Amino acid sequence: MNTLGYFITFEGVEGSGKSTQIRYLSNSLISRNLSTTLTREPGGCPIADKIRAILLDADNSAMSAMAELMLYAAARAQHVNEVIAPALSDGGIVLCDRFCDATVAYQSYGRGLDRSIIDTLNSHACSGISPDLTVLIDCDPRVGLERARRRIELSSGPREERFELEAIAFHQRVRSGYNQLAIDEPQRFVIVDGAGTVEGIALEISAAVLARIPEGLRAIS
Ligand SMILES: Nc1ncnc2c1ncn2[C@@H]1O[C@H](COP(=O)(O)OP(=O)(O)O)[C@@H](O)[C@H]1O
Ligand SMILES: [Mg+2]
């Protein structure tokens, strides 16, 4: 448990709308004067951002599944230590675009790595921190990948598309993995349908989050 703050993670397949929706939620919480840190994985701090670049670079198609898993764990250990844990200790809300569930969905359900290795690495990387609430945006990967492809074509930044280039069957396994995680921990997960409109989904998420966050979280000073 996180002693003071409140930790919310966003999960879902590529293009499900995580980055779009987490920005909406962040603005909604800030407009309620709640101290809010918006971050993402892999990355979220300079050292982990360097690992992100390796993980998402489509040129790294030769990366082994185990090397990939360990890079995620290394990036997470740094990010938790440098960003997430301090913000939670300070009594704030932390919103993180992907977290441990992504590693289970992609590396275990997607790649077939042993779940017990993933759970062990996640637990070491998180040093006792776990999400209080996880918003799972459930979305057909064909819809999500089409959106993600369009976003990548329009962006001028690095082509972070190593996962977008995986076969559709891989993304279907990731989607079912996420749904299984939500079945396993129904208290922690809120599932929203990613096929709705951006505004409709944003309202649904903000209502679910506001109904759950505790009193007494840190205000913006
Ligand atoms: N509900 C939605 N309907 C239609 N397009 C969407 C929706 N949510 C997001 N998008 C668009 O799809 C693309 C991918 O969304 P994004 O939030 O980046 O997804 P993710 O972070 O889950 O990969 C973006 O261009 C975004 O504007
Ligand atoms: Mg995103």
Side-chain angles (χ1 to χ4, degrees), residues 137-218:
I137 308 181
D138 181 49
C139 181
D140 183 332
R142 286 167 301 191
V143 173
L145 285 169
E146 185 47 41
R147 289 180 189 163
R149 238 169 247 138
R150 245 180 288 133
R151 182 200 56 205
I152 289 165
E153 293 309 328
L154 291 173
S155 113
S156 53
R159 290 182 73 91
E160 294 182 328
E161 60 181 355
R162 196 166 64 88
F163 284 93
E164 281 76 0
L165 298 175
E166 285 288 339
I168 192 74
F170 172 85
H171 295 284
Q172 302 281 18
R173 290 197 298 279
V174 171
R175 181 193 195 185
S176 353
Y178 272 133
N179 286 326
Q180 186 58 51
L181 287 171
I183 291 168
D184 295 344
E185 279 187 79
Q187 311 279 36
R188 172 162 69 90
F189 277 85
V190 166
I191 306 185
V192 296
D193 182 356
T197 63
V198 169
E199 293 73 19
I201 298 169
L203 284 173
E204 206 181 320
I205 292 174
S206 106
V209 168
L210 291 172
R212 283 173 172 78
I213 53 175
E215 298 283 311
L217 289 169
R218 192 182 153 84

Side-chain angles (χ1 to χ4, degrees), residues 12-21 23 97-98 144 147-148 150-151 164 194-198 201:
V13 297
E14 319 300 323
S16 55
K18 300 176 297 299
S19 304
T20 304
Q21 292 299 336
R23 279 192 299 269
D97 189 339
R98 292 196 183 283
R147 289 180 189 163
R150 245 180 288 133
R151 182 200 56 205
E164 281 76 0
T197 63
V198 169
I201 298 169

Side-chain angles (χ1 to χ4, degrees), residues 8 36 57 195 199:
I8 305 176
T36 304
D57 184 347
E199 293 73 19

Side-chain angles (χ1 to χ4, degrees), residues 81-157:
N81 184 266
E82 194 174 323
V83 177
I84 299 177
L88 291 172
S89 302
D90 207 28
I93 297 175
V94 174
L95 303 180
C96 190
D97 189 339
R98 292 196 183 283
F99 198 61
C100 287
D101 297 309
T103 314
V104 177
Y106 281 75
Q107 277 68 47
S108 179
Y109 287 92
R111 301 260 190 245
L113 288 179
D114 185 340
R115 174 75 185 266
S116 67
I117 300 174
I118 292 170
D119 289 345
T120 303
L121 285 173
N122 272 342
S123 118
H124 285 295
C126 291
S127 40
I129 282 170
S130 62
D132 296 297
L133 172 64
T134 298
V135 176
L136 172 58
I137 308 181
D138 181 49
C139 181
D140 183 332
R142 286 167 301 191
V143 173
L145 285 169
E146 185 47 41
R147 289 180 189 163
R149 238 169 247 138
R150 245 180 288 133
R151 182 200 56 205
I152 289 165
E153 293 309 328
L154 291 173
S155 113
S156 53

